[in-house]
Amino acid sequence: MARVDPAVLEMPADAAAGTMPYFTHIDTWLRAEIGGLSDEQLDFDDQSPDREWMWWSIRRQISHIAWVSLIFSKRRCGSLLWPHGDIPEPIVWSEHHQGRNNKHGLRLDPALFWDVPDLADKLDLGLSWMRHVVASHPIETFREMVESRHSTLFWDDAITVLPRGAWHDPDDERLIVNTLECAIWMLFYEMASHIRTIGRLKEIQGLPTAIELTRFGYLRLPHYWGETEAPAPSITKL
């Protein structure tokens, strides 16, 4: 079976390692960072055109992390989690998809899930699904489950921190091929990058951060670490 190691924060370059992300880190880091925040602090944002990284408040960052934990679990891991098709419906799946124009803007329905405990509850569910996936299947399964999708500027950037598992389709450079192993690591990186942004939103409000993330995964890239206020690479299809 695939295994996890809390000390391993990046996809091992050596495929023989077979290590998968330790998703408990996400819950631990997030809860530490958002503990004790007021509604005003949670909802602070800046909609200035040149400060795109601040367009989403801390509350919205939390909602997105919870959202992506559920959406990824269903979309990429659904056949592993529910092989008989008995998919639960903690959210209305038809209202959520990964495109930019989805109904609720890459977050949970704010009319139903606004308070932090409600958002954390959905994140706990998504993380429990991912922990089950990585603990219940051999690494070979994740490497055999391959998806092809349109490339984006984001993918061209992200692929630079992935040692393997994602490549341009040699027959069509507009397409990216990636294994589920790679995609699960990318999910972990994405969640961590949003936790980093939460820390930055606290700092700009004069609040101390609770954790000190190291630069791993997407956090090796300047847009996600905060070395530039330029917008992150687009997820629009090339």
Side-chain angles (χ1 to χ4, degrees), residues 4 12 33 38 53 57 72 86 90 108 114 120 126 148 159 181 188 194 198 210 230 235 237-238:
V4 299
E33 206 63 272
S38 67
W53 74 271
S57 67
F72 181 94
D86 50 339
L108 299 178
W114 180 260
S148 181
I159 207 169
E181 177 193 17
F188 182 72
H194 285 285
I198 288 172
I235 61 172
K237 295 177 183 178
L238 295 178

Side-chain angles (χ1 to χ4, degrees), residues 140-212:
E140 290 76 18
T141 296
F142 306 142
R143 293 172 181 169
E144 292 166 359
M145 295 179 67
V146 175
E147 177 182 274
S148 181
R149 61 189 302 164
H150 279 278
S151 186
T152 65
L153 293 177
F154 159 76
W155 265 104
D156 287 346
D157 204 31
I159 207 169
T160 65
V161 299
L162 299 170
R164 52 192 171 79
W167 60 93
H168 286 279
D169 187 327
D171 297 321
D172 188 343
E173 282 293 308
R174 296 171 301 173
L175 299 179
I176 285 282
V177 183
N178 66 102
T179 66
L180 180 58
E181 177 193 17
C182 172
I184 291 173
W185 274 105
M186 291 177 70
L187 172 67
F188 182 72
Y189 295 164
E190 177 176 354
M191 291 175 166
S193 71
H194 285 285
I195 294 172
R196 165 66 179 170
T197 301
I198 288 172
R200 294 173 64 199
L201 286 166
K202 289 177 66 177
E203 289 175 340
I204 208 164
Q205 294 181 76
L207 303 170
T209 55
I211 61 171
E212 186 175 347

Side-chain angles (χ1 to χ4, degrees), residues 1-223:
M1 295 297 178
R3 61 189 178 89
V4 299
D5 181 344
V8 177
L9 298 179
E10 294 191 278
M11 184 183 191
D14 182 1
T19 312
M20 295 298 289
Y22 183 68
F23 280 101
T24 298
H25 277 322
I26 300 300
D27 179 63
T28 301
W29 293 338
L30 182 63
R31 288 182 184 274
E33 206 63 272
I34 66 176
L37 296 181
S38 67
D39 283 341
E40 181 181 9
Q41 292 162 345
L42 288 166
D43 295 324
F44 170 83
D45 64 19
D46 186 337
Q47 298 299 310
S48 302
D50 59 345
R51 308 204 82 178
E52 184 175 314
W53 74 271
M54 292 179 62
W55 288 358
W56 285 7
S57 67
I58 291 174
R59 191 190 304 273
R60 185 154 182 172
Q61 298 283 341
I62 300 167
S63 186
H64 175 73
I65 297 170
W67 177 87
V68 78
S69 75
L70 298 175
I71 299 304
F72 181 94
S73 296
K74 177 179 180 291
R75 193 180 72 80
R76 288 301 302 261
C77 305
S79 63
L80 301 177
L81 288 163
W82 309 289
H84 304 296
D86 50 339
I87 303 171
E89 193 154 334
I91 59 176
V92 181
W93 295 117
S94 61
E95 294 183 355
H96 299 274
H97 57 82
Q98 288 194 305
R100 277 192 177 276
N101 297 319
N102 71 86
K103 184 173 181 179
H104 302 295
L106 303 179
R107 61 174 167 174
L108 299 178
D109 182 348
L112 299 177
F113 308 107
W114 180 260
D115 293 334
V116 168
D118 294 331
L119 297 173
D121 179 66
K122 290 297 176 283
L123 174 60
D124 288 345
L125 178 60
L127 291 178
S128 74
W129 288 346
M130 291 311 305
R131 282 192 290 261
H132 177 76
V133 166
V134 299
S136 302
H137 301 277
I139 193 70
E140 290 76 18
T141 296
F142 306 142
R143 293 172 181 169
E144 292 166 359
M145 295 179 67
V146 175
E147 177 182 274
S148 181
R149 61 189 302 164
H150 279 278
S151 186
T152 65
L153 293 177
F154 159 76
W155 265 104
D156 287 346
D157 204 31
I159 207 169
T160 65
V161 299
L162 299 170
R164 52 192 171 79
W167 60 93
H168 286 279
D169 187 327
D171 297 321
D172 188 343
E173 282 293 308
R174 296 171 301 173
L175 299 179
I176 285 282
V177 183
N178 66 102
T179 66
L180 180 58
E181 177 193 17
C182 172
I184 291 173
W185 274 105
M186 291 177 70
L187 172 67
F188 182 72
Y189 295 164
E190 177 176 354
M191 291 175 166
S193 71
H194 285 285
I195 294 172
R196 165 66 179 170
T197 301
I198 288 172
R200 294 173 64 199
L201 286 166
K202 289 177 66 177
E203 289 175 340
I204 208 164
Q205 294 181 76
L207 303 170
T209 55
I211 61 171
E212 186 175 347
L213 291 174
T214 58
R215 298 192 69 165
F216 64 89
Y218 296 164
L219 296 181
R220 294 187 182 277
L221 302 172
H223 302 90

